[in-house]
Amino acid sequence: MPRPRRRAAGERPVAAAPEGTVRGRPGQSRARRGQEPDQRGREHDRAQRAPSQRGRAPERPGRLLRWGLPRDPEATAHVTGFVVTAVLTVVVTRAFLQLAGFPQVGGGGLHVAHVLWGGLLLAVAVVLALSFAGPVVRPLVAFIGGIGFGLFIDEVGKFLTQDNDYFYAPAPMIMYVTLVLLTVWADVLHGRRAHHRREHLAAAADHAVSGLVGGLSQRRRAVAEGLLARGRGARGWAETAALLRAIPDDEEEVLDPVDAARQRLRALMRGVVRRRWTTALTGALLLVLLAGAPATLMVHRAQGQTSPGWVEAGVLGATALTLVVAARGWLLLPTDRYGAFRWLRGAVLVTLLVTQVALYRVEPWLASAGLLLAVAALGVTGAELRRLQRVAGAPA
């Protein structure tokens, strides 16, 4: 009789496979051999492909930990808030300037460019980050810093041209690529390697830092206790657990506009994926994105403007790749819903990382509309993947 595999520290227990699952191939159902399980059983069976986390938590601390630099498990949310705030700032700024006729602030030969206000807000964000301990200030830093960075990067065209051309055609593309690279960098730093249990424990202790002086709300206590549970076994765990238990309750919190918006969007996405038309909505969004990319080029040509050759080649090539990836996901839907939505999510990512870059070079406003649809599709596919993961962890 084979010995059961010992679960590594920090690894979540995997629910037992439901009856009808082929051993060794999670998510592969015996329905292919003539036995058709019920709908919930099939979703549970297919969702077994869903990992509980990316990779197994490392046992040995890395160099960053030995240097005293633990990663914040909530950093990805903060960076995302920073990037989204910057994007919205650019869009609102350009829309306001265009509607107002591009007014100038100043007089007597002076012009107070909004890049200066952006630099000021970035400085305010840095001072806040350096002035307050604990995690409470970080969402505020991300929000103020995002506004500042958006105002700063919006004027990138002035600093790349000799005549200070705010309307420099490649400027929107440069802004978009910069923000995409920031997002990818954050994903590489935080998403490619699982957090060590010491990092989870350090994050729990970080919440205790703010709780020592102001108490912990029910929501923040739940976050801290979740981090503490994932840090079990690390040196200092018992002391941190005792400290959190000693902190009093206090429901007063600093307003976090980014988190409030994120919670509303998550609730909306959870409501969407509970409906039967989740698949249809995903397909409709992908169809609009696929048709919208070449249509944007046609609109650009209809205005009598020409596009660089690499833009048209990039749009058509990326659209073809998106179609292939989406078709692969669509074909998987009857047998492997989790795998199918991973492919559909990949098709959306191709649009975000390749197609939109080229479209921002020629039609920034239409590209912004496409970006909004792509983010919506990303939200729907991500919410469905999380739902399937919950199904995989539910009892059969």
Side-chain angles (χ1 to χ4, degrees):
M1 181 176 178
R3 296 177 60 188
R5 182 179 70 84
R6 293 184 62 187
R7 184 157 38 94
E11 182 183 357
R12 296 180 182 175
V14 180
E19 185 178 354
T21 303
V22 179
R23 255 184 109 76
R25 286 291 303 278
Q28 182 179 3
S29 174
R30 285 189 183 143
R32 297 180 183 178
R33 296 190 286 176
Q35 299 181 13
E36 184 68 23
D38 59 23
Q39 180 63 26
R40 178 169 177 175
R42 280 185 301 177
E43 284 195 353
H44 187 288
D45 194 28
R46 291 161 191 160
Q48 290 295 321
R49 294 179 185 268
S52 59
Q53 55 182 320
R54 288 188 186 180
R56 189 176 298 172
E59 290 298 319
R60 219 181 133 195
R63 181 170 295 177
L64 288 177
L65 286 182
R66 296 198 297 272
W67 286 347
L69 292 171
R71 296 170 299 169
D72 183 358
E74 299 178 20
T76 301
H78 297 327
V79 174
T80 302
F82 171 85
V83 170
V84 170
T85 303
V87 171
L88 291 176
T89 300
V90 171
V91 171
V92 170
T93 300
R94 295 223 160 199
F96 169 76
L97 290 177
Q98 190 161 351
L99 292 174
F102 297 94
Q104 291 192 353
V105 179
L110 296 177
H111 169 53
V112 183
H114 54 267
V115 67
L116 300 177
W117 300 111
L120 178 62
L121 289 175
L122 284 172
V124 169
V126 171
V127 171
L128 285 174
L130 295 175
S131 299
F132 296 96
V136 175
V137 74
R138 288 177 199 141
L140 190 60
V141 168
F143 181 67
I144 295 176
I147 296 175
F149 190 72
L151 292 173
F152 163 77
I153 201 171
D154 181 60
E155 298 213 77
V156 67
K158 289 186 176 182
F159 303 101
L160 294 177
T161 55
Q162 291 183 346
D163 55 350
N164 297 329
D165 186 7
Y166 177 75
F167 304 100
Y168 181 51
M173 180 191 68
I174 294 170
M175 290 184 255
Y176 182 76
V177 169
T178 301
L179 293 169
V180 166
L181 290 177
L182 284 175
T183 305
V184 171
W185 179 36
D187 183 68
V188 169
L189 182 60
H190 295 279
R192 300 300 174 184
R193 188 167 182 265
H195 287 85
H196 195 278
R197 59 175 178 263
R198 293 186 186 179
E199 291 178 306
H200 289 297
L201 183 62
D206 199 28
H207 279 275
V209 167
S210 58
L212 283 172
V213 294
L216 287 175
S217 66
Q218 185 177 358
R219 184 182 69 87
R220 288 197 179 276
R221 188 179 296 277
V223 172
E225 289 177 350
L227 292 166
L228 183 68
R230 288 190 287 273
R232 182 181 292 273
R235 185 173 61 249
W237 183 90
E239 292 81 359
T240 305
L243 178 60
L244 284 173
R245 286 194 300 268
I247 293 174
D249 294 330
D250 184 354
E251 291 302 320
E252 188 172 349
E253 287 188 341
V254 175
L255 177 64
D256 182 356
V258 176
D259 183 68
R262 183 168 56 245
Q263 294 301 329
R264 287 181 178 272
L265 286 174
R266 282 183 177 177
L268 176 63
M269 290 298 110
R270 282 196 297 267
V272 167
V273 299
R274 289 194 186 109
R275 310 294 180 183
R276 294 184 177 180
W277 35 264
T278 304
T279 305
L281 177 61
T282 304
L285 289 171
L286 280 170
L287 282 176
V288 173
L289 290 172
L290 286 168
T296 300
L297 292 180
M298 294 173 63
V299 169
H300 190 69
R301 284 188 173 184
Q303 295 173 347
Q305 304 182 50
T306 58
S307 306
W310 68 267
V311 169
E312 296 190 1
V315 169
L316 296 178
T319 301
L321 179 59
T322 303
L323 180 61
V324 170
V325 176
R328 169 63 176 162
W330 211 261
L331 292 174
L332 280 176
L333 275 172
T335 58
D336 182 7
R337 187 171 180 83
Y338 182 82
F341 267 83
R342 287 189 66 181
W343 279 91
L344 293 175
R345 183 178 175 85
V348 179
L349 289 174
V350 171
T351 298
L352 285 169
L353 297 177
V354 183
T355 310
Q356 292 300 122
V357 173
L359 292 181
Y360 264 106
R361 174 61 180 83
V362 291
E363 289 290 337
W365 288 113
L366 290 177
S368 297
L371 174 62
L372 182 62
L373 292 175
V375 170
L378 197 67
V380 172
T381 54
E384 177 65 3
L385 288 172
R386 287 190 293 273
R387 186 188 71 83
L388 292 172
Q389 287 178 330
R390 289 194 297 271
V391 170

